[in-house]
Amino acid sequence: SDVCSSDLPWRAVDPQRDFVVQVPLSGLKPATRYELEVAARPAAGGAVTSVVPGGFTTAPDPAAARPVTFCVMTCQQYEDQDRPGGFAIYPAMLARRPDFFVNTGDAVYYDHGPVHAVNAELARYHWARMFSLPTLRDFHRQVGSYFMKDDHDTLTNDSHPGDRTGDFTFDDGLRIFREQTAPAEPPYRATRWGRHLEVWLLEGRDTRSSTAADRTGVPTILGPEQIAWLEQIGRAHV
């Protein structure tokens, strides 16, 4: 296979966005394993102080008949760690050498444990302590991932638009989830992994009906635009 390498320009991080930087990649080949290194330095022009290796696999061409291995997981609470360094499921999944991973929601629990997220700083603390666990860190640097949000990693149990906990609002939760996971827009989408697999990723919080709307109408977590999208792609597969 062809071997080539390229360097991307340095990107500044924003302390107001948890020092997170999102770097879109384009022009990638299908069904290809890409290895990468993420370098960091404390100031522009300074010496590199950290290099983290990683990699991911791209999806096959939609018409290609290829085997695909993937893993799906949901609901991880920091206090439920079952092995030193995090959760036993992560090395178990990594051993299967998955092409990709899907977290279907509740990647963190803002409203559980001794520290509740009552402001944006504590919400980011939840993400930092969870994804700094060695088992998660080792897994995610090697496997491409899709993240779907749910209630506890937005705000609280069955949270609605307009809800808040202390100084932390529902809208804050939506914003920080995007900051930490870089989902596509719109976040509900379908993606093909070759001829025989299509993955549908739904969105259950951005489109959640409000508490007031629930009193007078039929509650929904999908919303009219997403329901119309589901009907459209459903008809396309009939």
Side-chain angles (χ1 to χ4, degrees):
S1 60
D2 295 335
V3 177
C4 62
S5 63
S6 63
D7 294 325
L8 297 176
W10 285 93
R11 296 278 300 274
V13 296
D14 184 355
Q16 300 302 314
R17 296 189 70 254
D18 205 25
F19 299 91
V20 171
V21 62
Q22 298 171 5
V23 181
L25 302 176
S26 60
L28 304 181
K29 297 178 180 179
T32 301
R33 176 72 186 180
Y34 284 88
E35 303 296 331
L36 56 84
E37 287 185 340
V38 177
R41 60 190 184 186
V48 172
T49 55
S50 175
V51 177
V52 178
F56 59 92
T57 299
T58 55
D61 186 275
R66 296 177 63 103
V68 178
T69 299
F70 66 98
C71 299
V72 179
M73 194 198 73
T74 190
C75 300
Q76 59 185 14
Q77 185 175 318
Y78 186 82
E79 289 76 20
D80 290 340
Q81 295 175 55
D82 55 3
R83 60 161 287 171
F87 301 95
I89 191 173
Y90 281 98
M93 291 191 295
L94 193 59
R96 301 187 66 86
R97 302 181 66 182
D99 295 294
F100 66 92
F101 163 78
V102 180
N103 186 310
T104 62
D106 293 338
V108 296
Y109 275 73
Y110 288 143
D111 56 338
H112 285 203
V115 179
H116 286 207
V118 295
N119 55 43
E121 182 179 2
L122 288 174
R124 290 178 172 128
Y125 165 77
H126 276 259
W127 288 94
R129 68 171 185 169
M130 179 65 77
F131 286 90
S132 64
L133 292 172
T135 54
L136 278 76
R137 196 171 64 234
D138 191 45
F139 179 87
H140 283 295
R141 69 179 180 84
Q142 302 179 66
V143 181
S145 302
Y146 299 98
F147 282 86
M148 300 165 57
K149 74 174 73 67
D150 202 358
D151 48 357
H152 297 282
D153 50 6
T154 299
L155 185 67
T156 58
N157 185 56
D158 195 26
S159 47
H160 298 66
D163 290 352
R164 67 185 302 129
T165 300
D167 295 328
F168 191 52
T169 67
F170 185 90
D171 287 344
D172 290 334
L174 299 183
R175 174 174 52 82
I176 288 177
F177 187 91
R178 285 181 168 84
E179 170 191 278
Q180 298 290 327
T181 65
E185 295 295 343
Y188 53 86
R189 68 270 195 204
T191 183
R192 292 209 69 88
W193 277 76
R195 179 179 175 184
H196 300 298
L197 175 63
E198 184 173 67
V199 181
W200 293 13
L201 300 160
L202 302 183
E203 169 52 54
R205 291 298 133 187
D206 285 20
T207 49
R208 176 73 165 94
S209 54
S210 67
T211 303
D214 286 353
R215 296 192 189 102
T216 58
V218 178
T220 176
I221 63 171
L222 298 182
E225 291 184 3
Q226 184 172 199
I227 291 172
W229 168 78
L230 279 169
E231 291 174 345
Q232 180 183 5
I233 63 172
R235 286 193 297 269
H237 288 73
V238 173

